[in-house]
CSV table of all heavy atoms in Angstrom, one decimal:
chain,number,residue,atom,x,y,z
A,1,MET,N,32.8,83.3,-5.1
A,1,MET,CA,32.7,83.8,-3.8
A,1,MET,C,31.9,82.8,-2.9
A,1,MET,O,30.9,82.4,-3.3
A,1,MET,CB,31.9,85.2,-3.8
A,1,MET,CG,31.9,85.9,-2.5
A,1,MET,SD,30.8,87.4,-2.6
A,1,MET,CE,31.7,88.4,-3.7
A,4,PHE,N,28.6,83.5,2.9
A,4,PHE,CA,29.0,84.0,4.2
A,4,PHE,C,27.7,84.5,4.9
A,4,PHE,O,26.7,84.9,4.2
A,4,PHE,CB,30.0,85.1,4.0
A,4,PHE,CG,29.6,86.2,3.1
A,4,PHE,CD1,28.8,87.3,3.6
A,4,PHE,CD2,29.9,86.2,1.8
A,4,PHE,CE1,28.3,88.3,2.7
A,4,PHE,CE2,29.5,87.2,0.9
A,4,PHE,CZ,28.7,88.3,1.4
A,8,ARG,N,25.5,93.5,10.9
A,8,ARG,CA,25.8,95.0,11.0
A,8,ARG,C,26.3,95.2,12.4
A,8,ARG,O,25.5,95.0,13.3
A,8,ARG,CB,24.6,95.8,10.6
A,8,ARG,CG,24.2,95.7,9.1
A,8,ARG,CD,23.2,96.7,8.7
A,8,ARG,NE,22.8,96.4,7.3
A,8,ARG,CZ,21.7,95.7,6.9
A,8,ARG,NH1,20.9,95.3,7.9
A,8,ARG,NH2,21.4,95.5,5.7
A,29,ALA,N,34.1,97.4,5.2
A,29,ALA,CA,33.7,98.8,5.2
A,29,ALA,C,33.5,99.3,3.8
A,29,ALA,O,32.4,99.1,3.3
A,29,ALA,CB,34.8,99.6,5.9
A,36,ASP,N,36.6,92.5,-4.2
A,36,ASP,CA,37.4,92.2,-5.4
A,36,ASP,C,38.1,90.8,-5.2
A,36,ASP,O,38.0,89.9,-6.0
A,36,ASP,CB,38.5,93.3,-5.6
A,36,ASP,CG,39.6,93.0,-6.6
A,36,ASP,OD1,39.3,92.3,-7.6
A,36,ASP,OD2,40.7,93.6,-6.5
A,39,LYS,N,35.6,87.7,-4.8
A,39,LYS,CA,35.1,87.2,-6.1
A,39,LYS,C,36.1,86.1,-6.7
A,39,LYS,O,35.7,85.2,-7.5
A,39,LYS,CB,34.9,88.3,-7.1
A,39,LYS,CG,33.7,89.2,-6.7
A,39,LYS,CD,33.6,90.3,-7.7
A,39,LYS,CE,32.4,91.2,-7.2
A,39,LYS,NZ,32.1,92.3,-8.2
A,77,ASP,N,36.6,112.3,1.4
A,77,ASP,CA,36.4,113.3,2.4
A,77,ASP,C,37.7,113.7,3.2
A,77,ASP,O,37.9,114.8,3.6
A,77,ASP,CB,35.4,112.7,3.4
A,77,ASP,CG,34.0,112.5,2.7
A,77,ASP,OD1,33.6,113.3,1.9
A,77,ASP,OD2,33.4,111.4,3.0
A,85,ARG,N,43.9,119.7,3.9
A,85,ARG,CA,44.5,120.3,2.7
A,85,ARG,C,45.5,121.4,3.1
A,85,ARG,O,46.5,121.6,2.5
A,85,ARG,CB,43.4,121.0,1.9
A,85,ARG,CG,42.6,119.9,1.1
A,85,ARG,CD,41.2,120.3,0.8
A,85,ARG,NE,41.0,121.4,-0.2
A,85,ARG,CZ,39.9,121.7,-0.7
A,85,ARG,NH1,38.8,121.1,-0.3
A,85,ARG,NH2,39.8,122.7,-1.6
A,93,ARG,N,47.3,115.0,-1.1
A,93,ARG,CA,47.9,114.7,-2.4
A,93,ARG,C,48.0,113.2,-2.7
A,93,ARG,O,47.8,112.7,-3.8
A,93,ARG,CB,49.3,115.4,-2.6
A,93,ARG,CG,49.3,116.9,-2.7
A,93,ARG,CD,48.8,117.3,-4.0
A,93,ARG,NE,48.8,118.7,-4.2
A,93,ARG,CZ,48.1,119.3,-5.2
A,93,ARG,NH1,47.2,118.6,-6.0
A,93,ARG,NH2,48.1,120.6,-5.3
A,102,GLN,N,35.4,107.3,-8.1
A,102,GLN,CA,34.4,106.3,-7.5
A,102,GLN,C,34.9,105.5,-6.4
A,102,GLN,O,34.2,105.3,-5.4
A,102,GLN,CB,33.9,105.4,-8.6
A,102,GLN,CG,33.1,106.0,-9.8
A,102,GLN,CD,34.0,106.3,-11.0
A,102,GLN,OE1,35.0,107.0,-10.8
A,102,GLN,NE2,33.5,106.0,-12.1
A,105,ASN,N,35.4,107.5,-3.2
A,105,ASN,CA,34.1,107.8,-2.5
A,105,ASN,C,33.7,106.7,-1.6
A,105,ASN,O,32.9,106.9,-0.7
A,105,ASN,CB,33.0,108.0,-3.6
A,105,ASN,CG,33.0,109.4,-4.1
A,105,ASN,OD1,33.6,110.3,-3.5
A,105,ASN,ND2,32.4,109.6,-5.2
A,236,SER,N,46.6,108.3,-14.9
A,236,SER,CA,45.7,108.3,-13.8
A,236,SER,C,45.2,106.8,-13.6
A,236,SER,O,45.3,106.0,-14.5
A,236,SER,CB,44.5,109.2,-14.0
A,236,SER,OG,43.7,109.3,-12.9
A,237,TYR,N,44.6,106.6,-12.5
A,237,TYR,CA,43.9,105.3,-12.2
A,237,TYR,C,44.9,104.1,-12.4
A,237,TYR,O,44.7,103.2,-13.1
A,237,TYR,CB,42.8,105.1,-13.2
A,237,TYR,CG,41.7,104.1,-12.9
A,237,TYR,CD1,41.5,103.6,-11.6
A,237,TYR,CD2,40.8,103.7,-13.9
A,237,TYR,CE1,40.4,102.8,-11.4
A,237,TYR,CE2,39.7,102.9,-13.7
A,237,TYR,CZ,39.6,102.4,-12.4
A,237,TYR,OH,38.5,101.5,-12.2
B,19,THR,N,23.4,87.0,0.2
B,19,THR,CA,24.3,88.0,0.7
B,19,THR,C,25.4,88.4,-0.3
B,19,THR,O,25.9,89.5,-0.2
B,19,THR,CB,24.9,87.6,2.1
B,19,THR,OG1,25.5,86.3,1.9
B,19,THR,CG2,23.9,87.6,3.2
B,41,ASP,N,33.7,93.9,-13.3
B,41,ASP,CA,33.3,93.3,-12.0
B,41,ASP,C,34.3,93.4,-10.9
B,41,ASP,O,34.3,92.7,-9.9
B,41,ASP,CB,32.8,91.8,-12.2
B,41,ASP,CG,31.7,91.4,-11.3
B,41,ASP,OD1,31.0,92.4,-10.7
B,41,ASP,OD2,31.4,90.2,-11.1
B,42,HIS,N,35.4,94.2,-11.2
B,42,HIS,CA,36.5,94.3,-10.2
B,42,HIS,C,36.9,95.7,-9.9
B,42,HIS,O,38.0,96.0,-9.5
B,42,HIS,CB,37.7,93.4,-10.7
B,42,HIS,CG,37.4,92.0,-10.5
B,42,HIS,ND1,37.7,91.3,-9.3
B,42,HIS,CD2,36.9,91.1,-11.4
B,42,HIS,CE1,37.3,90.0,-9.5
B,42,HIS,NE2,36.9,89.8,-10.7
B,43,GLY,N,36.1,96.7,-10.3
B,43,GLY,CA,36.5,98.1,-10.0
B,43,GLY,C,37.6,98.6,-10.8
B,43,GLY,O,38.2,99.6,-10.5
B,49,THR,N,29.2,102.4,-12.8
B,49,THR,CA,29.0,103.6,-11.9
B,49,THR,C,27.6,104.0,-11.7
B,49,THR,O,26.8,104.1,-12.7
B,49,THR,CB,29.8,104.8,-12.5
B,49,THR,OG1,31.2,104.4,-12.6
B,49,THR,CG2,29.7,106.0,-11.6
B,55,ARG,N,26.6,110.3,-4.3
B,55,ARG,CA,28.0,110.1,-4.6
B,55,ARG,C,28.1,109.0,-5.7
B,55,ARG,O,27.4,108.0,-5.6
B,55,ARG,CB,28.8,109.7,-3.4
B,55,ARG,CG,28.8,110.8,-2.4
B,55,ARG,CD,29.8,110.3,-1.3
B,55,ARG,NE,30.3,111.5,-0.7
B,55,ARG,CZ,31.5,111.6,-0.1
B,55,ARG,NH1,32.3,110.5,-0.1
B,55,ARG,NH2,31.9,112.7,0.4
B,56,ARG,N,29.0,109.2,-6.6
B,56,ARG,CA,29.2,108.1,-7.6
B,56,ARG,C,30.1,107.0,-7.0
B,56,ARG,O,31.1,107.3,-6.3
B,56,ARG,CB,29.9,108.7,-8.9
B,56,ARG,CG,31.2,109.4,-8.6
B,56,ARG,CD,31.9,109.9,-9.8
B,56,ARG,NE,33.0,110.7,-9.5
B,56,ARG,CZ,34.2,110.8,-10.2
B,56,ARG,NH1,34.3,110.2,-11.3
B,56,ARG,NH2,35.2,111.6,-9.8
B,60,CYS,N,29.8,97.4,-8.6
B,60,CYS,CA,30.3,96.0,-8.6
B,60,CYS,C,31.1,95.7,-7.4
B,60,CYS,O,31.2,94.5,-7.0
B,60,CYS,CB,31.2,95.8,-9.8
B,60,CYS,SG,32.9,96.5,-9.8
B,65,VAL,N,23.3,94.2,0.2
B,65,VAL,CA,22.8,94.2,1.6
B,65,VAL,C,23.4,95.4,2.4
B,65,VAL,O,22.9,95.7,3.4
B,65,VAL,CB,23.1,92.9,2.3
B,65,VAL,CG1,22.3,91.8,1.7
B,65,VAL,CG2,24.6,92.6,2.4
B,126,THR,N,44.6,119.4,-9.3
B,126,THR,CA,44.3,120.7,-8.8
B,126,THR,C,45.7,121.4,-8.3
B,126,THR,O,46.4,120.8,-7.5
B,126,THR,CB,43.4,120.6,-7.6
B,126,THR,OG1,42.2,119.9,-8.0
B,126,THR,CG2,43.0,122.0,-7.1
B,127,ALA,N,46.0,122.5,-8.9
B,127,ALA,CA,47.3,123.1,-8.7
B,127,ALA,C,47.4,123.6,-7.2
B,127,ALA,O,48.4,123.3,-6.5
B,127,ALA,CB,47.5,124.3,-9.6
B,129,LEU,N,45.6,123.5,-3.6
B,129,LEU,CA,44.6,122.8,-2.8
B,129,LEU,C,43.7,123.7,-2.0
B,129,LEU,O,42.6,123.4,-1.6
B,129,LEU,CB,45.3,121.8,-1.8
B,129,LEU,CG,45.9,120.5,-2.4
B,129,LEU,CD1,46.6,119.7,-1.2
B,129,LEU,CD2,44.9,119.7,-3.1
B,142,GLU,N,41.1,114.2,-15.5
B,142,GLU,CA,41.6,113.4,-14.3
B,142,GLU,C,40.4,112.8,-13.6
B,142,GLU,O,40.4,111.7,-13.2
B,142,GLU,CB,42.4,114.4,-13.4
B,142,GLU,CG,42.6,113.9,-12.0
B,142,GLU,CD,43.3,112.6,-11.8
B,142,GLU,OE1,44.1,112.2,-12.8
B,142,GLU,OE2,43.1,111.9,-10.8
B,147,ASN,N,36.6,105.9,-15.6
B,147,ASN,CA,35.7,105.4,-16.5
B,147,ASN,C,36.4,105.1,-17.9
B,147,ASN,O,36.7,106.1,-18.6
B,147,ASN,CB,34.5,106.3,-16.8
B,147,ASN,CG,33.7,106.5,-15.5
B,147,ASN,OD1,34.0,107.2,-14.6
B,147,ASN,ND2,32.6,105.7,-15.5
Side-chain angles (χ1 to χ4, degrees):
Chain A
M1 189 187 294
F4 54 84
R8 296 187 183 98
D36 172 29
K39 290 177 183 189
D77 298 318
R85 283 152 74 171
R93 289 289 182 199
Q102 292 96 311
N105 279 342
S236 186
Y237 201 18
Chain B
T19 48
D41 214 17
H42 286 275
T49 302
R55 294 186 155 210
R56 56 178 175 146
C60 73
V65 295
T126 306
L129 288 177
E142 162 59 23
N147 293 83

